Amino acid sequence: MILAILLQMRGIDVVVLERGTRVDVLSRIRAGIMEPGIVQFLRDSGIETRIDQLGRPRNGSRIVWQDRPDVVIDVKRWTGAEMMAYGQTYLTEDLYAQADRLGTQLFDDVTELAVTGLQGNRPQVAFKTPDRAVEITCDYVIGCDGGRGHCLGLIPEAARQVHERIYPFGWLGIMVEAPPLDDVTYIHHSEGFALAAQRGPNLSRYYVQTPLDQGVEQWPDVRFWQTFLTRAPKDVADAVVTGPSIEKALTPLRSRVVEPLRWGRLFLAGDAAHLVPPTGAKGLNLAINDVRLLSQALIAHFEEGDDGLLERYSTDALARVWAASDLSWRLTRLLHVFPGEPSFDDRLRQFDYDRLLESEDRQRALALDYAGING
Ligand code: DHB
């Protein structure tokens, strides 16, 4: 949607296809922490959001650890810039509103998608909506269709590599109508990870690490809160305002990077191109960075006939993707308990945390990675 709006503002025709409905898209709950550079890009690029009305600027986040002192991931101190807590759902609402104002062509409820001609100059896209069959001829196809979408499969296996790590646990997340903690708080406990995050002055998001063989129905609110409050140190537990969940969902954790992100006239962006575990909240930031690069590249192509940026898109985007994949993997490994892991791994985890506690250099490096600065 961001790419569509950016291109359309330059007079480049765009058609957006969505498998779900608008209601499905707007009810999808995702992380809500944006890097300073991404917030600035949105402000500068003409994307009209309510970030400055509804977002909560944050100095950074906090790590709390059973029987050890806290570490503050102090982005403000080390970079001078602020993170922004702004739920992805609010951003999606902003984007639909702007696309509607611009008259962007959006097709919902798309089925029977068929894409051909990606190695030629005029790819064809055919699909059905509930009331008609449509065929489009276009210049480029941008696959922004997520980790289980159609577009990745359009690239022959011999023409791509998929690097992947599947984690042996998930996150159970709930939404609660209650004031959140002041800081996004990552919790490590010998029984597993937990996280307190924010959505608004009276809307909180909480997560606990869960085994993969248990569904949402095995996690009534009482069990969720018992688990969360056991993992949280006493001062954090005392500060949390609990309440009934108004939404509850399980997220499996996966890291994936596809290389390269281009095949002929097809470009991949966002989760279609790469997945990160939610630890660190990098997914939305990476997706926006991808389309930032793609918009510049496509505008250079259409306005100046210059394909240099398109040729470099995969390399340029993957530099940030690998940096964020590294951060989210390191944070996941540091904060979670891996079922069945040797005690060696847990001792290294404690060692890693102690080094972070002792070293301002390490805290600064973590804050820069967390803020998406450096790479
Ligand atoms: C959320 C926030 C985080 O900082 C994170 O690492 C994961 C999720 C959230 O707001 O849901």
Side-chain angles (χ1 to χ4, degrees), residues 24-343:
D24 298 334
V25 175
L26 290 173
S27 61
R28 208 176 280 159
I29 293 172
R30 292 288 183 271
I33 294 284
M34 293 166 86
E35 298 165 356
I38 293 297
V39 173
Q40 201 54 45
F41 163 70
L42 291 176
R43 286 194 189 114
D44 294 345
S45 64
I47 299 289
E48 293 164 13
T49 73
R50 296 162 296 168
I51 289 182
D52 292 310
Q53 290 81 54
L54 302 182
R56 292 160 59 103
R58 316 305 313 154
N59 288 349
S61 300
R62 181 175 296 275
I63 302 177
V64 303
W65 198 281
Q66 189 179 14
D67 303 327
R68 278 179 166 77
D70 301 356
V71 165
V72 178
I73 309 175
D74 200 338
V75 171
K76 184 71 185 285
R77 173 175 175 204
W78 297 113
T79 74
E82 290 170 325
M83 304 291 285
M84 184 70 88
Y86 189 63
Q88 183 167 331
T89 314
Y90 303 135
L91 181 63
T92 317
E93 287 168 3
D94 299 337
L95 298 174
Y96 271 117
Q98 190 170 7
D100 287 345
R101 285 193 294 277
L102 289 169
T104 306
Q105 290 189 70
L106 301 171
F107 289 95
D108 269 5
D109 235 333
V110 164
T111 53
E112 297 182 43
L113 177 66
V115 181
T116 51
L118 288 168
Q119 290 297 323
N121 288 336
R122 300 291 286 164
Q124 300 88 45
V125 180
F127 59 93
K128 287 198 174 141
T129 67
D131 41 59
R132 60 184 167 136
V134 184
E135 282 181 35
I136 299 171
T137 303
C138 60
D139 295 294
Y140 293 100
V141 176
I142 316 297
C144 309
D145 53 345
R148 285 186 296 245
H150 183 82
C151 289
L152 174 58
L154 294 171
I155 307 179
E157 281 185 25
R160 59 167 157 90
Q161 280 192 291
V162 179
H163 310 285
E164 199 161 53
R165 171 181 288 278
I166 294 167
Y167 298 84
F169 42 75
W171 281 17
L172 185 78
I174 65 167
M175 196 73 91
V176 184
E177 281 175 317
L181 296 182
D182 285 340
D183 292 315
V184 168
T185 304
Y186 298 94
I187 301 168
H188 174 76
H189 183 277
S190 55
E191 286 182 14
F193 168 77
L195 169 61
Q198 313 156 331
R199 285 292 180 281
N202 197 45
L203 196 57
S204 316
R205 179 91 172 139
Y206 292 97
Y207 301 92
V208 294
Q209 175 188 342
T210 52
L212 282 174
D213 58 1
Q214 296 179 4
V216 168
E217 61 296 339
Q218 281 158 281
W219 284 91
D221 287 359
V222 177
R223 181 176 178 210
F224 179 91
W225 283 119
Q226 271 169 359
T227 305
F228 184 91
L229 296 170
T230 303
R231 295 181 187 179
K234 183 166 186 325
D235 59 324
V236 174
D238 287 348
V240 167
V241 184
T242 63
S245 64
I246 57 169
E247 195 268 350
K248 189 179 281 170
L250 202 64
T251 311
L253 272 67
R254 185 182 289 251
S255 292
R256 175 195 290 166
V257 181
V258 178
E259 289 183 318
L261 303 182
R262 175 181 191 173
W263 189 65
R265 293 264 167 165
L266 172 70
F267 291 85
L268 299 179
D271 280 8
H274 38 74
L275 297 171
V276 283
T279 334
K282 287 289 150 223
L284 173 62
N285 293 284
L286 284 181
I288 296 178
N289 190 57
D290 290 348
V291 296
R292 179 179 71 81
L293 295 170
L294 265 179
S295 64
Q296 291 162 352
L298 288 166
I299 289 167
H301 167 84
F302 286 109
E303 292 187 356
E304 290 149 35
D306 182 349
D307 284 358
L309 293 177
L310 278 178
E311 304 292 343
R312 282 175 34 196
Y313 165 69
S314 183
T315 309
D316 288 353
L318 283 169
R320 270 295 284 127
V321 168
W322 280 114
S325 299
D326 177 52
L327 170 81
S328 50
W329 149 242
R330 278 189 288 125
L331 271 184
T332 302
R333 191 180 45 180
L334 177 70
L335 295 168
H336 293 71
V337 176
F338 286 62
E341 69 185 351
S343 63

